[in-house]
Amino acid sequence: MVCCHSCPRRCSRSSAYTLGLGLGFVTLGTSRILLLKFSANAENKYDFLPASVNLLAEALKLFFCLVMSVRVIVQEGRSCRDLGFSSTSSLLTSLKWAVPAFLYFLDNLIIFYVMTYLQPAMAVLFSNFVILTTAVLFRIVLKRRLSWVQWAALVILFLSIVSLTTGSGSSQNSVAVPGIHSNPLSTSSNSCLLYTQLLEQMRNSSASESWVSSLPGQAWRTSIVEKLRSLGVGHILLLLQCFISAMANIYNEKIIKEGDQLTESIFIQNSKLYAFGVVFNGLTLVLGREARGLTIHCGLLHGHNIYSLGLVLVTAALGLSVAFILKFRDNMFHVLTGQITTVLVTALSLFLFDFRPSLDFFLQAPMVLLAIFIYNASRPKDLEYSLQQEKLRVINGEVFERSRGDGEELELLTKPNTDSESEEESL
């Protein structure tokens, strides 16, 4: 960009922000995968309700964003009605945030069940199918151009992940981690013990009833379930999560950057998003019979341990980091930065989860980082995207009185770039 040549100090500051976002996202993403595994019990299941983790994380994010939103409103002399829930019309306008909130709700819930079927290394490796889904939606929904070299880099990245997956050893199923599980933080009350015993008896009773198999359509449903198990429930859930995650991030980036929303505070925007997130996760605990019974008789923190509470904090921080990336960078930065998480989790799995990849892994893994470098080094010159990023820098105080009033800055920003690629060279 031209502005980088005219102001190296501002460019270095922007690079520092980008580096900080990337490092924070990688650290939190890796920690979340590890905590998901550590918080499970010896049978590789969860003693707590997964929805309770997501509910507490959404509540923490909502509280933080509300506090920051009030601070922004007071500093700018605005009204609290700007939060969007002051009237029926503003509430209806805010309903668009319910779409990404629901998709994130599904995404955050599915990952718990994925981790019960797959090892952490295999889960993060397979999750890279989200790359091509995101790239296609990136082009269709956001109208962002990708050069032919970038498409080639994405294909190389995808093939590298597939190659890593097939060459990472035959043991892909999830296994419990001995000696690392933590006991629940609180003891169960008598009411909770009676309810869990009754719930276990009901499960055993329903499992032993043979007449269920004679119900109309039961044989067909059983055959479908068996086919899904033969294909791998963990893999199917992970593919579903990849699609949902891509849709959530693309739609979220679109609505936080379209029109006047580009200049809106990220905290005000996220307050609406997380309010719906609290609603969806709360409804899961209220509408589900078993979840509702456990919450009433045993409490929201039933079965939680030190790792699950750490998971709550990491999930909340990770959600905030993703929001900042989508607001001030873009979705492909988010997806490609996640590949570093893939490498880290796979490496840590060698020591923590008895993961035994083949020797080919150590030759193929560098291809992932190489594809990321090629993608970032071949970014096409997109004037509209450059103007959008320039506007974001002005909004966030990175630029102060840059223009001398003679229109020089506008001329630099709108000047055609003779080095940019032609329409035939990019998609």
Side-chain angles (χ1 to χ4, degrees):
M1 264 178 67
V2 178
C3 60
C4 289
H5 296 292
S6 61
C7 189
R9 179 181 178 184
R10 177 162 46 81
C11 247
S12 62
R13 185 178 182 183
S14 178
S15 300
Y17 287 157
T18 301
L19 180 62
L21 278 176
L23 289 177
F25 175 75
V26 169
T27 302
L28 292 170
T30 304
S31 301
R32 187 192 185 199
I33 295 296
L34 298 180
L35 289 174
L36 279 168
K37 192 65 177 179
F38 294 157
S39 59
N41 57 27
E43 298 177 355
N44 204 41
K45 298 180 180 180
Y46 298 102
D47 295 325
F48 54 88
L49 295 171
S52 65
V53 172
N54 296 333
L55 177 62
L56 293 172
E58 293 293 321
L60 283 177
K61 291 187 289 185
L62 178 60
F63 175 76
F64 174 77
C65 287
L66 284 175
V67 172
M68 297 303 296
S69 296
V70 172
R71 180 173 177 268
V72 170
I73 289 173
V74 171
Q75 287 182 344
E76 298 180 358
R78 299 162 61 182
S79 171
C80 289
R81 295 180 179 179
D82 293 333
L83 289 175
F85 300 100
S86 58
S87 63
T88 304
S89 60
S90 61
L91 179 60
L92 293 176
T93 303
S94 300
L95 284 178
K96 63 182 179 181
W97 298 99
V99 177
F102 181 71
L103 294 174
Y104 282 130
F105 154 72
L106 295 177
D107 180 28
N108 292 329
L109 197 58
I110 291 175
I111 186 62
F112 281 92
Y113 300 99
V114 169
M115 295 302 296
T116 62
Y117 288 100
L118 298 175
Q119 288 196 19
M122 302 312 302
V124 294
L125 286 172
F126 275 114
S127 66
N128 288 283
F129 282 103
V130 74
I131 300 170
L132 290 183
T133 306
T134 301
V136 173
L137 293 174
F138 199 71
R139 179 68 183 96
I140 296 175
V141 179
L142 297 181
K143 310 298 182 184
R144 198 72 54 74
R145 296 190 307 164
L146 296 178
S147 67
W148 286 109
V149 178
Q150 286 183 300
W151 282 111
L154 290 175
V155 172
I156 293 173
L157 183 60
F158 173 77
L159 295 177
S160 299
I161 295 302
V162 173
S163 180
L164 280 171
T165 301
T166 57
S168 295
S170 59
S171 179
Q172 298 184 9
N173 295 330
S174 183
V175 294
V177 183
I180 205 168
H181 305 285
S182 177
N183 295 324
L185 295 177
S186 60
T187 57
S188 302
S189 62
N190 292 332
S191 174
C192 179
L193 291 175
L194 290 175
Y195 179 79
T196 52
Q197 291 176 2
L198 179 61
L199 188 61
E200 188 65 26
Q201 292 176 2
M202 292 175 61
R203 290 173 179 171
N204 295 333
S205 176
S206 61
S208 62
E209 291 177 347
S210 60
W211 60 270
V212 175
S213 59
S214 63
L215 291 177
Q218 183 63 30
W220 177 79
R221 288 192 291 269
T222 303
S223 64
I224 293 296
V225 171
E226 291 300 325
K227 289 181 180 179
L228 290 177
R229 287 179 178 175
S230 63
L231 293 175
V233 178
H235 300 86
I236 295 175
L237 287 175
L238 197 52
L239 290 175
L240 178 62
Q241 186 199 13
C242 288
F243 179 77
I244 292 175
S245 176
M247 285 292 296
N249 289 327
I250 288 290
Y251 187 83
N252 193 23
E253 182 179 356
K254 179 178 176 60
I255 62 178
I256 65 177
K257 289 182 177 179
E258 64 179 359
D260 296 337
Q261 289 298 320
L262 182 65
T263 60
E264 183 60 276
S265 169
I266 182 65
F267 301 112
I268 294 178
Q269 292 174 324
N270 280 351
S271 296
K272 303 171 186 178
L273 176 67
Y274 299 145
F276 286 109
V278 170
V279 171
F280 289 132
N281 285 282
L283 288 176
T284 303
L285 298 178
V286 173
L287 298 180
R289 184 174 64 178
E290 291 187 9
R292 182 175 65 249
L294 284 173
T295 304
I296 293 175
H297 292 88
C298 303
L300 186 63
L301 296 179
H302 168 69
H304 278 270
N305 51 51
I306 188 65
Y307 295 117
S308 65
L309 293 184
L311 181 61
V312 171
L313 298 177
V314 169
T315 301
L318 181 62
L320 290 171
S321 69
V322 171
F324 275 92
I325 288 176
L326 297 182
K327 178 73 173 182
F328 303 113
R329 291 300 175 260
D330 58 40
N331 209 336
M332 289 309 298
F333 176 87
H334 161 253
V335 171
L336 292 174
T337 305
Q339 309 319 305
I340 303 177
T341 302
T342 298
V343 177
L344 289 178
V345 172
T346 305
L348 291 174
S349 296
L350 296 172
F351 306 98
L352 298 177
F353 307 122
D354 197 28
F355 181 62
R356 292 293 179 263
S358 64
L359 293 177
D360 292 339
F361 169 83
F362 299 100
L363 298 176
Q364 296 163 349
M367 296 296 294
V368 175
L369 297 178
L370 180 61
I372 296 173
F373 172 78
I374 294 175
Y375 175 88
N376 288 312
S378 58
R379 202 172 274 178
K381 306 296 182 180
D382 193 330
L383 179 60
E384 181 180 354
Y385 178 68
S386 299
L387 289 172
Q388 186 184 74
Q389 293 299 107
E390 183 69 19
K391 192 172 184 180
L392 281 173
R393 274 190 287 271
V394 175
I395 293 169
N396 290 280
E398 292 185 40
V399 183
F400 298 97
E401 300 178 359
R402 296 193 294 114
S403 176
R404 298 193 298 267
D406 54 3
E408 176 188 6
E409 193 64 36
L410 180 61
E411 180 182 354
L412 289 175
L413 287 175
T414 57
K415 181 180 179 181
N417 195 334
T418 56
D419 296 332
S420 62
E421 295 178 334
S422 63
E423 290 294 332
E424 292 78 9
E425 293 176 331
S426 61
L427 287 176

